Amino acid sequence: MKELLEQLVRECAPYTQQGQLANYIPELSKADPRAIGVHIITADGQHSGAGRDQERFTIQSIVKPILLLLALMDNGMEFVRGRVGVEATGKPFDAINSSDQRLDSEHLNPMVNMGAIAMCTLIHGDTYREKFERLLALTRKLAGDESIGVDEAVYLSEQSHGSKNRALAYMLKSHGMLHDNVEDVLDCYFRACSISVTCENLANIGYTLAHQGQIPGSGEQVFPAHFARYVNAILTTCGMYDGSGEFAIRVGVPAKSGVGGGIMAVVPSRMGIGIFAPALDAKGNSVAGTCMLEKLSSHLNLSIF
Amino acid sequence: MKELLEQLVRECAPYTQQGQLANYIPELSKADPRAIGVHIITADGQHSGAGRDQERFTIQSIVKPILLLLALMDNGMEFVRGRVGVEATGKPFDAINSSDQRLDSEHLNPMVNMGAIAMCTLIHGDTYREKFERLLALTRKLAGDESIGVDEAVYLSEQSHGSKNRALAYMLKSHGMLHDNVEDVLDCYFRACSISVTCENLANIGYTLAHQGQIPGSGEQVFPAHFARYVNAILTTCGMYDGSGEFAIRVGVPAKSGVGGGIMAVVPSRMGIGIFAPALDAKGNSVAGTCMLEKLSSHLNLSIF
Amino acid sequence: MKELLEQLVRECAPYTQQGQLANYIPELSKADPRAIGVHIITADGQHSGAGRDQERFTIQSIVKPILLLLALMDNGMEFVRGRVGVEATGKPFDAINSSDQRLDSEHLNPMVNMGAIAMCTLIHGDTYREKFERLLALTRKLAGDESIGVDEAVYLSEQSHGSKNRALAYMLKSHGMLHDNVEDVLDCYFRACSISVTCENLANIGYTLAHQGQIPGSGEQVFPAHFARYVNAILTTCGMYDGSGEFAIRVGVPAKSGVGGGIMAVVPSRMGIGIFAPALDAKGNSVAGTCMLEKLSSHLNLSIF
Amino acid sequence: MKELLEQLVRECAPYTQQGQLANYIPELSKADPRAIGVHIITADGQHSGAGRDQERFTIQSIVKPILLLLALMDNGMEFVRGRVGVEATGKPFDAINSSDQRLDSEHLNPMVNMGAIAMCTLIHGDTYREKFERLLALTRKLAGDESIGVDEAVYLSEQSHGSKNRALAYMLKSHGMLHDNVEDVLDCYFRACSISVTCENLANIGYTLAHQGQIPGSGEQVFPAHFARYVNAILTTCGMYDGSGEFAIRVGVPAKSGVGGGIMAVVPSRMGIGIFAPALDAKGNSVAGTCMLEKLSSHLNLSIF
């Protein structure tokens, strides 16, 4: 397996030149656009890695499935489902407008920013700091890495360039779907996006989603099997932004990408995969990362379809 | 004229029962839904009024044409036109969305909230407090009433129920169309909406727009004639929310309504009209006020078409 | 006046080079892009023209106000208003979609194609051929020119390149707003757009709208005054496509343009104006024609605002 | 297995009372709303059925994956992918509009009507009758039933109530994505939707998609494995209309529903399932059918996630 991964890294490294670093916040544009790494944990708990799979980068949108998991663990499926919709086909709600168009929970999706902000409000905790600490604790547990923390520079950069997320949060508030202080909620969300992880961390998280809630090694059941299916289903339809349909055809496994350059992929019953390659395509997905996943899926017959 | 106005008040008073008070902020729902008043200033400077034409209410969206005027006076037509569009047909920009749709100045309009917030940033002044003071001074000048001030209760209510406007302002900021502190800009905007006026005040403002910038009595030219045409043109296409087309047919004069129940109408070269009747139709326009204007237009042949 | 018009033609002729001929149907791209002409009829019935004001071109969208007039004459305001909306602000109805979104009469507007097609169905007549003949008769009457006919080459070109209008008509039918045979309705519509007129013809039509239904010369009242106001109001808000707001500011009179290069302008109580200059701007309006109207409005103080 | 299916039919039969028959064409509203049937073929080729699993009903949208398969078989993945997009997240293109908005192949999806009409044009054949005959032949082959034909009454009803599909087809034509005669293309599409099938037929088709192109029994490879993955991926993201996300969570297998009351479900490597229960929920999916699939998935652990 390690040889296969090293071959993938060699073959896909040139694709890093076809993408661009995210630049909506200055900190992200400081990454090395040529970086590439991959880490896999197979069903038997074996680890394999290649490239820069121990390098830290910010989790960004890959925290969304963890936010969703924690919201499910704290509230159950029915409650979460009633507050944040699950359709991908949905109207990219033509929302903010001089006239008062309706915006309701069915227009939200846990994998887009507005839905993810709404999920922050569902996590238990007396304060948003406490909610975040619980999210960080779950992330550490799933990743099997107690050293995981927040990249403060990215967090501050998110805070100071967060106008769009502020707009989305106030939109939720104006439609009665967010009741707390907007800056408190966003502080939790910005911290969540700034959690710093490695490919190995993502592979661990993916493994647990692939094994219906069991963490590698101990086999401890962190969450019920049906929560894993809930998350994996949504990752399949919406995990790769506007490239989710294309990814389902080319790769065929639940996955989530982040603008930090990471991808977490879930091969149900088989493996967890963590990817890092921060040069992104026009849809916000890692170019070389998608390349590696496509080749890996083809070699190992990973598609669930 | 006074008899005609009194007759209109009698005939249209029953229509106050067909509308509803605005309730998006608690303060507005404290108005008397049966209130009705009208005040007119004719070309010769004669005043006539009927009903509760000396009662104060908040100007709300009727401040938008004054904001536009001040932005024009401070920056000229070309500059303002380049920053805030003038089309009514425009796409109700499908703006806030997970994907990054384009939002540019052509999608703004001075008569809808996002455009009006953008105009606050165009007004000259070292601080937003100073910008507001200049707006208040112009309002007093146009209204011929130095006693005009802010309704503090409404202002505080706007501040604490302003999520939608906050969303709009952060949206502008995230698209590079607002650079200052959002709360400073909104404070100016919320104060502007909370300016307290009477029907007579609105009639004075309408008169000056009808007479190409000259104020009644002294005939002082407060702003150039082409600014009046700019404002009157936009009032005609967009002044009455989604009822502007219907109003153009039924009444046929430039006008602006506010959710406080006011309407300011401009009969070019002929008269300024101020209306108050806070029971609103589904589009946010005063029911009895529109009724009075329709009858008045028919009696006096006011339509510009 | 004639000298003024000749000066305008000289000054604005260079602007013909800044536009493009319409090319959605091959026939229209055969026009001379440098052509320019203007014709005016003043309140006293005096005619003045300059440039190619006697040249024939197809009326295209300028037939829409005539369609609206005939629909009003046949059915009255209330009936027409109930079937075709009048708002410009309206949602550019996100209509054709896999899910069944609602499309109702409020989303229509007499000045856009779907609304104009709907108006064809409202005109009286046992057949669509008869409806068209009645429309042609009204056009001749308003234009004071019994020789007006259809440009057969343009009509055939419209017929064979009419997919978009066919889509719009079937859309109306699928929403229950068109009950007759779609090809019959479209045949009427395509013929209507292919009526061949001169600047002088348009000036006559504009004069009658400016004089509340009275035709120049005889003073015969062809339709009631309130129909003229209805049409002029809609021309002001929607007559110049997505450039209507800009046109209201720069020129300030009700007007309708067509992709054949014509503009009909209405100066209430004062004059009718016909323009021809087929090089169009990006919004579909004659570049040199708008230039002439702007200068004319400025010279003669024509703005209604 | 048969006992399990009979139990499911008993348990879910009451849910037929919670739905409505499709009524957009009169013929469909003649079905028995209480009908319910299910048929399954397992990996070993064993058949089991319960309820009215041998009753014929029209395939409707379930023909879309077969259309897609034939388009892929005739043209290859790259060609088809270039002409019809695969995203579910896509903008429900705000297409038909007075202004000329862009509509391109990325806005299409094989599982919505406009995309399916576009796929009809991609199928090989000298005439649309021939294209349809090839589609029917493939359907018979996949279903293992040479007796499959068209329900003429439904076909005629589709033809005479097809305004919406006509609008969609002319829309394609006006955007250069359909070049042939619209009525010819639609005739093929209407016939395709009117193909008459049983639950057993659908189970056979589902089996072949589940087994990467191999038909039950003979094991003949009808199409390459990667076409099955292409189709199954799209079924997962878009097969159940606006209920696809919900279905992925509750059931978790690729599936396609039709307004005739059928559902074809694909359990990769394991089974093909055919369902019939024509009472539909608000999103157009069989209520009792979804109920049976949810229970079946839970009992047999069918979810791919």
Side-chain angles (χ1 to χ4, degrees):
Chain A
M1 176 67 85
K2 189 172 170 56
E3 277 162 40
L4 172 60
L5 297 186
E6 281 170 348
Q7 181 192 330
L8 289 179
V9 164
R10 273 195 308 277
E11 286 176 14
C12 294
Y15 287 86
T16 60
Q17 299 174 23
Q18 294 181 13
Q20 303 286 330
L21 294 176
N23 60 3
Y24 78 103
I25 59 170
E27 275 303 311
L28 291 180
S29 60
K30 295 180 183 167
D32 174 4
R34 297 292 88 83
I36 181 168
V38 57
H39 194 98
I40 287 184
I41 308 175
T42 43
D44 54 6
Q46 286 293 110
H47 283 242
S48 316
R52 290 150 73 164
D53 68 332
Q54 301 301 324
E55 187 163 325
R56 293 201 175 275
F57 52 93
T58 50
I59 194 166
Q60 298 294 341
S61 287
I62 309 174
V63 82
K64 285 176 177 132
I66 311 177
L67 269 170
L68 174 56
L69 267 177
L70 188 50
L72 289 167
M73 291 163 75
D74 281 353
N75 305 278
M77 278 174 50
E78 204 170 340
F79 184 92
V80 172
R81 177 63 192 82
R83 269 151 192 81
V84 179
V86 295
E87 296 308 321
T89 52
K91 3 290 161 182
F93 57 97
D94 321 79
I96 292 199
N97 194 307
S98 58
S99 66
D100 282 286
Q101 283 181 270
R102 188 180 54 95
L103 171 67
D104 62 32
S105 63
E106 286 304 307
H107 295 99
L108 303 181
N109 182 295
M111 295 304 131
V112 301
N113 289 13
M114 200 185 275
I117 294 168
M119 283 191 304
C120 288
T121 70
L122 304 183
I123 293 173
H124 290 180
D126 287 341
T127 64
Y128 277 87
R129 193 59 199 242
E130 191 182 323
K131 288 171 197 261
F132 171 72
E133 292 299 336
R134 294 187 64 246
L135 177 75
L136 181 60
L138 177 62
T139 305
R140 287 170 171 166
K141 175 113 194 172
L142 294 172
D145 181 351
E146 286 301 312
S147 75
I148 285 175
V150 162
D151 182 324
E152 288 292 322
V154 171
Y155 161 67
L156 293 173
S157 202
E158 296 276 0
Q159 268 285 9
S160 62
H161 295 81
S163 296
K164 191 178 170 189
N165 286 316
R166 283 186 174 85
L168 297 172
Y170 279 112
M171 190 67 33
L172 284 170
K173 195 175 183 81
S174 77
H175 285 85
M177 296 191 284
L178 183 156
H179 301 287
D180 298 326
N181 179 284
V182 161
E183 288 298 334
D184 288 348
V185 179
L186 287 173
D187 189 72
C188 174
Y189 181 67
F190 291 142
R191 281 181 200 277
C193 293
S194 306
I195 290 174
S196 187
V197 293
T198 66
C199 291
E200 183 171 354
N201 294 159
L202 295 183
N204 270 286
I205 299 168
Y207 178 100
T208 301
L209 282 165
H211 290 84
Q212 316 236 335
Q214 291 183 3
I215 51 177
S218 74
E220 181 192 350
Q221 187 85 26
V222 185
F223 51 82
H226 57 284
F227 291 174
R229 288 197 295 271
Y230 193 108
V231 174
N232 292 342
I234 293 178
L235 292 186
T236 303
T237 53
C238 318
M240 301 296 281
Y241 305 112
D242 282 345
S244 299
E246 187 80 28
F247 187 87
I249 290 171
R250 289 173 58 191
V251 184
V253 301
K256 184 75 202 83
S257 63
V259 292
I263 303 178
M264 176 197 70
V266 177
V267 191
S269 311
R270 293 180 59 186
M271 58 178 75
I273 305 172
I275 297 271
F276 173 54
L280 309 178
D281 66 18
K283 290 175 174 168
N285 296 315
S286 169
V287 182
T290 305
C291 170
M292 287 196 288
L293 284 168
E294 186 173 11
K295 286 175 187 287
L296 201 61
S297 177
S298 175
H299 273 80
L300 303 178
N301 216 9
L302 301 182
S303 172
I304 59 176
F305 299 119
Chain B
M1 176 69 84
K2 190 172 171 53
E3 277 163 41
L4 172 61
L5 297 186
E6 280 170 349
Q7 180 192 331
L8 290 179
V9 164
R10 272 195 310 275
E11 286 175 14
C12 295
Y15 287 86
T16 60
Q17 298 175 22
Q18 295 181 12
Q20 302 285 331
L21 293 176
N23 59 3
Y24 79 103
I25 57 170
E27 274 304 310
L28 290 181
S29 59
K30 296 179 182 167
D32 174 4
R34 296 291 91 79
I36 182 168
V38 57
H39 194 99
I40 287 183
I41 308 175
T42 43
D44 54 6
Q46 286 293 110
H47 284 241
S48 316
R52 289 150 73 165
D53 69 332
Q54 301 301 323
E55 187 164 324
R56 292 202 175 274
F57 52 93
T58 51
I59 195 166
Q60 299 294 343
S61 287
I62 309 173
V63 83
K64 286 177 175 127
I66 311 177
L67 268 170
L68 174 57
L69 267 177
L70 188 49
L72 288 168
M73 292 162 73
D74 282 354
N75 306 278
M77 278 174 52
E78 205 171 337
F79 184 93
V80 172
R81 178 63 192 81
R83 269 151 190 81
V84 179
V86 296
E87 297 308 321
T89 52
K91 0 291 160 188
F93 58 97
D94 322 77
I96 291 197
N97 195 308
S98 56
S99 66
D100 281 287
Q101 284 182 268
R102 188 179 56 93
L103 170 67
D104 63 30
S105 62
E106 286 303 307
H107 296 98
L108 303 181
N109 181 295
M111 294 304 131
V112 301
N113 289 13
M114 200 184 276
I117 294 168
M119 283 191 303
C120 288
T121 71
L122 304 183
I123 293 173
H124 289 180
D126 287 340
T127 63
Y128 276 86
R129 193 59 198 243
E130 191 182 323
K131 288 171 197 262
F132 171 72
E133 292 300 336
R134 294 187 63 245
L135 178 75
L136 181 60
L138 177 61
T139 305
R140 286 170 172 167
K141 175 113 193 174
L142 294 173
D145 181 352
E146 286 300 312
S147 75
I148 286 175
V150 163
D151 182 322
E152 287 292 323
V154 170
Y155 160 68
L156 293 172
S157 202
E158 296 277 0
Q159 267 287 11
S160 60
H161 294 81
S163 296
K164 190 178 172 190
N165 286 317
R166 283 186 174 84
L168 296 172
Y170 278 113
M171 188 70 31
L172 284 171
K173 194 175 184 80
S174 77
H175 284 85
M177 295 191 286
L178 181 157
H179 301 285
D180 298 327
N181 178 283
V182 162
E183 288 298 334
D184 288 349
V185 179
L186 287 173
D187 189 72
C188 174
Y189 182 66
F190 292 141
R191 281 180 201 277
C193 293
S194 307
I195 290 174
S196 187
V197 292
T198 66
C199 291
E200 183 171 353
N201 294 159
L202 295 183
N204 270 285
I205 300 167
Y207 178 100
T208 301
L209 282 165
H211 291 83
Q212 317 236 334
Q214 292 184 1
I215 50 177
S218 74
E220 183 192 349
Q221 188 84 26
V222 185
F223 50 82
H226 55 286
F227 291 173
R229 289 196 295 270
Y230 193 109
V231 173
N232 292 341
I234 294 179
L235 292 185
T236 303
T237 54
C238 319
M240 301 297 282
Y241 306 111
D242 283 345
S244 299
E246 187 80 27
F247 187 87
I249 290 171
R250 290 172 57 192
V251 183
V253 302
K256 184 77 202 80
S257 63
V259 292
I263 303 177
M264 175 196 70
V266 177
V267 191
S269 311
R270 294 180 59 185
M271 59 177 74
I273 305 173
I275 297 271
F276 172 55
L280 309 178
D281 65 21
K283 291 176 174 168
N285 297 315
S286 168
V287 182
T290 305
C291 169
M292 288 196 288
L293 283 168
E294 187 173 10
K295 287 176 185 287
L296 201 61
S297 176
S298 173
H299 273 82
L300 303 178
N301 216 9
L302 300 182
S303 172
I304 60 176
F305 300 118
Chain C
M1 177 67 85
K2 188 172 172 54
E3 277 162 41
L4 172 61
L5 297 187
E6 281 171 348
Q7 180 193 333
L8 289 180
V9 164
R10 272 195 310 275
E11 287 176 13
C12 294
Y15 288 86
T16 60
Q17 298 174 22
Q18 294 181 12
Q20 303 285 331
L21 293 176
N23 59 4
Y24 79 103
I25 58 170
E27 274 303 310
L28 290 180
S29 61
K30 295 180 182 166
D32 173 5
R34 297 291 90 81
I36 182 168
V38 57
H39 194 100
I40 288 184
I41 308 175
T42 43
D44 55 5
Q46 287 292 110
H47 284 241
S48 317
R52 289 151 73 166
D53 69 332
Q54 300 301 322
E55 187 164 324
R56 293 201 175 275
F57 53 93
T58 51
I59 194 166
Q60 299 293 342
S61 287
I62 310 173
V63 82
K64 285 175 176 132
I66 312 177
L67 269 170
L68 174 56
L69 267 177
L70 188 50
L72 289 167
M73 291 162 74
D74 281 354
N75 305 279
M77 278 173 52
E78 205 171 339
F79 184 93
V80 172
R81 177 64 192 80
R83 269 151 192 82
V84 179
V86 296
E87 297 307 321
T89 52
K91 4 287 161 186
F93 57 97
D94 321 77
I96 293 198
N97 194 307
S98 57
S99 65
D100 281 287
Q101 285 182 266
R102 186 179 57 93
L103 170 68
D104 63 30
S105 62
E106 286 303 307
H107 296 98
L108 303 181
N109 182 296
M111 294 304 132
V112 301
N113 289 12
M114 201 185 274
I117 293 169
M119 284 190 303
C120 288
T121 70
L122 304 183
I123 294 173
H124 290 180
D126 287 340
T127 63
Y128 276 86
R129 192 60 198 241
E130 190 181 324
K131 288 171 197 261
F132 171 72
E133 292 300 336
R134 294 187 63 245
L135 178 75
L136 182 61
L138 178 62
T139 305
R140 286 170 171 168
K141 175 115 192 174
L142 294 172
D145 182 352
E146 285 300 312
S147 75
I148 286 176
V150 163
D151 182 323
E152 287 293 323
V154 170
Y155 160 67
L156 293 172
S157 203
E158 297 277 359
Q159 268 286 11
S160 62
H161 294 80
S163 296
K164 191 177 170 190
N165 285 317
R166 285 188 173 83
L168 297 172
Y170 278 112
M171 188 69 32
L172 284 170
K173 194 175 183 82
S174 78
H175 285 85
M177 296 191 285
L178 182 156
H179 301 287
D180 297 328
N181 179 284
V182 161
E183 288 299 333
D184 288 349
V185 179
L186 287 173
D187 189 72
C188 174
Y189 182 66
F190 290 142
R191 281 180 200 276
C193 293
S194 306
I195 290 173
S196 188
V197 292
T198 65
C199 290
E200 183 171 355
N201 294 158
L202 295 183
N204 270 285
I205 300 167
Y207 178 99
T208 301
L209 282 164
H211 291 83
Q212 316 236 332
Q214 291 184 3
I215 50 177
S218 74
E220 181 193 351
Q221 188 85 27
V222 184
F223 51 82
H226 57 286
F227 291 173
R229 288 196 296 271
Y230 194 109
V231 173
N232 293 340
I234 294 179
L235 292 185
T236 302
T237 54
C238 318
M240 301 296 282
Y241 306 112
D242 283 345
S244 298
E246 188 80 28
F247 187 87
I249 290 171
R250 289 173 58 192
V251 184
V253 301
K256 183 76 202 82
S257 63
V259 292
I263 304 177
M264 175 196 72
V266 177
V267 191
S269 312
R270 293 180 59 185
M271 58 178 75
I273 305 173
I275 298 270
F276 172 55
L280 309 178
D281 65 21
K283 291 176 174 168
N285 297 315
S286 169
V287 182
T290 306
C291 169
M292 286 197 288
L293 284 167
E294 187 173 10
K295 286 175 186 287
L296 201 61
S297 177
S298 175
H299 273 82
L300 302 179
N301 217 9
L302 301 182
S303 172
I304 60 177
F305 300 119
Chain D
M1 177 67 86
K2 191 172 169 56
E3 277 163 39
L4 172 61
L5 298 186
E6 280 172 348
Q7 181 192 330
L8 289 180
V9 164
R10 273 195 309 276
E11 287 176 13
C12 295
Y15 287 85
T16 60
Q17 298 174 24
Q18 295 181 12
Q20 302 287 330
L21 293 175
N23 59 4
Y24 78 102
I25 57 170
E27 275 304 311
L28 291 180
S29 60
K30 295 180 182 166
D32 174 4
R34 296 291 89 81
I36 181 167
V38 58
H39 194 99
I40 287 184
I41 308 175
T42 43
D44 55 5
Q46 286 293 110
H47 283 241
S48 316
R52 289 151 74 165
D53 68 332
Q54 301 301 325
E55 186 163 325
R56 292 201 175 274
F57 52 93
T58 50
I59 194 166
Q60 298 295 343
S61 287
I62 309 174
V63 83
K64 285 176 178 132
I66 311 177
L67 268 170
L68 173 56
L69 267 177
L70 188 49
L72 289 168
M73 292 162 74
D74 281 352
N75 305 279
M77 277 173 53
E78 205 170 338
F79 184 92
V80 172
R81 177 65 191 79
R83 269 151 193 82
V84 179
V86 296
E87 297 307 322
T89 52
K91 3 287 163 193
F93 58 97
D94 323 78
I96 292 197
N97 195 306
S98 57
S99 66
D100 282 285
Q101 283 181 270
R102 188 179 56 93
L103 170 68
D104 62 32
S105 62
E106 286 303 307
H107 296 98
L108 303 182
N109 181 296
M111 294 304 132
V112 302
N113 289 13
M114 200 185 276
I117 293 168
M119 284 190 303
C120 289
T121 70
L122 304 183
I123 293 174
H124 290 180
D126 287 341
T127 63
Y128 276 86
R129 192 59 199 242
E130 192 182 323
K131 288 171 197 262
F132 172 71
E133 292 300 336
R134 295 186 63 245
L135 178 75
L136 182 60
L138 178 62
T139 305
R140 287 170 171 166
K141 175 114 195 172
L142 294 173
D145 182 351
E146 286 300 312
S147 75
I148 286 175
V150 162
D151 182 323
E152 287 292 323
V154 170
Y155 160 67
L156 293 172
S157 202
E158 297 277 359
Q159 267 287 9
S160 62
H161 294 80
S163 296
K164 190 178 171 190
N165 285 317
R166 283 187 174 85
L168 296 172
Y170 277 113
M171 189 68 33
L172 284 171
K173 195 175 183 81
S174 77
H175 285 84
M177 295 191 286
L178 183 156
H179 301 287
D180 298 326
N181 179 285
V182 161
E183 287 299 334
D184 288 348
V185 179
L186 287 173
D187 189 71
C188 174
Y189 181 66
F190 291 142
R191 282 181 199 276
C193 293
S194 306
I195 289 174
S196 189
V197 293
T198 66
C199 290
E200 183 171 354
N201 294 159
L202 295 183
N204 270 286
I205 299 168
Y207 178 99
T208 301
L209 282 165
H211 291 83
Q212 316 236 333
Q214 291 183 2
I215 52 178
S218 72
E220 182 191 349
Q221 188 85 26
V222 185
F223 51 82
H226 56 285
F227 291 174
R229 288 196 295 272
Y230 193 109
V231 173
N232 292 342
I234 294 179
L235 292 185
T236 303
T237 53
C238 318
M240 300 297 281
Y241 305 111
D242 283 345
S244 299
E246 187 80 28
F247 187 86
I249 290 171
R250 290 173 58 191
V251 184
V253 302
K256 184 73 201 85
S257 63
V259 292
I263 303 178
M264 176 197 69
V266 177
V267 191
S269 312
R270 293 180 61 184
M271 58 178 73
I273 306 172
I275 297 271
F276 172 55
L280 309 178
D281 65 19
K283 290 176 174 169
N285 297 314
S286 167
V287 182
T290 305
C291 169
M292 287 196 288
L293 284 169
E294 187 173 11
K295 287 175 187 288
L296 201 61
S297 177
S298 174
H299 273 80
L300 303 178
N301 216 8
L302 300 182
S303 173
I304 60 175
F305 299 118

